[in-house]
């Protein structure tokens, strides 16, 4: 019985470590309602930006124990504590005109709504140049070229 409990504890501890051991660059999002970006990988480094937007997509470009060098949608880079980040995939509508959200991954399908630049939504799956994009209770398909948070040609399952 003790062996089973010990194995379960070891397995439970290993799962978060695997999620944090991705090889950069990779996509993530801000998990917290407030997340501080710093000039270096430690709390002793000055804070340069306080993000107050949960689910904002970010790109992890480098890892350091418990810290990640991230890039935000505007290209700003800095260090963030890994516990402030989530593996949840999100994307932000790029600057410019409002972007069309369709019922299917096809510009010939019914238009559901238009998303304004700066709108953040969750993406569940992407492929062939389209992502399923949901904002609150509204959802549909958006072209990957209209959002920041997905690499060119990337497939998200």
């Amino acid at each position: 019985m003790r062996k089973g409990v010990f194995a379960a504890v070891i397995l439970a501890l290993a799962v978060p470590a695997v999620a944090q051991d991705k090889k950069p660059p990779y996509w993530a999002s801000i998990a917290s309602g407030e997340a501080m970006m710093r000039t270096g990988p430690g709390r002793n480094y000055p804070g340069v930006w306080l993000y107050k937007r949960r689910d904002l997509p970010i790109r992890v470009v480098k890892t350091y124990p418990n810290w990640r060098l991230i890039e935000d949608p505007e290209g700003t880079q800095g260090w963030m504590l890994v516990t402030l980040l989530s593996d949840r995939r999100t994307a932000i509508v790029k600057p410019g005109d409002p972007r069309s959200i369709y019922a299917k991954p096809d510009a010939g399908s019914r238009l559901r709504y238009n998303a304004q630049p700066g709108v953040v939504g969750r993406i569940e799956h992407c492929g062939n140049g389209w992502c399923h994009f949901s904002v609150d209770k509204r959802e549909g398909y958006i072209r990957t070229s209209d959002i920041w948070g997905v690499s060119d040609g990337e497939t998200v399952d």
Side-chain angles (χ1 to χ4, degrees):
M1 180 113 163
R2 280 189 168 185
K3 275 186 178 179
V5 171
F6 180 73
V9 169
I10 294 299
L11 185 60
L13 293 174
V15 172
V18 170
Q20 296 175 15
D21 286 341
K22 291 182 182 180
K23 299 289 181 217
Y26 64 88
W27 296 98
S29 59
I30 294 179
S32 176
E34 287 193 355
M36 180 64 71
M37 177 187 278
R38 297 185 177 278
T39 60
R43 292 181 194 260
N44 55 325
Y45 288 91
V48 291
W49 196 255
L50 178 62
Y51 293 88
K52 292 188 173 194
R53 193 164 189 190
R54 173 182 234 136
D55 286 342
L56 184 72
I58 55 96
R59 187 170 178 97
V60 175
V61 295
K62 189 174 181 180
T63 62
Y64 187 79
N66 297 321
W67 292 87
R68 301 295 180 261
L69 179 61
I70 67 159
E71 180 178 353
D72 73 12
E74 294 181 3
T76 303
Q77 288 192 356
W79 292 90
M80 195 169 284
L81 193 59
V82 72
T83 57
L84 300 174
L85 302 177
S86 170
D87 287 337
R88 178 181 297 130
R89 292 297 299 269
T90 64
I92 188 169
V93 177
K94 290 181 177 178
D97 293 329
R99 301 313 203 293
S100 299
I101 309 296
Y102 296 97
K104 296 179 182 178
D106 174 6
S109 70
R110 184 174 55 85
L111 176 68
R112 286 223 158 137
Y113 64 98
N114 288 310
Q116 296 293 322
V119 167
V120 172
R122 292 184 180 180
I123 53 176
E124 285 85 38
H125 54 269
C126 302
N128 300 320
W130 293 88
C131 283
H132 185 264
F133 189 73
S134 59
V135 181
D136 297 323
K137 294 181 182 179
R138 301 181 94 181
E139 50 90 23
Y141 290 87
I142 189 169
R143 295 175 202 257
T144 56
S145 59
D146 290 337
I147 53 177
W148 189 88
V150 180
S151 300
D152 289 337
E154 181 183 9
T155 299
V156 176
D157 293 322

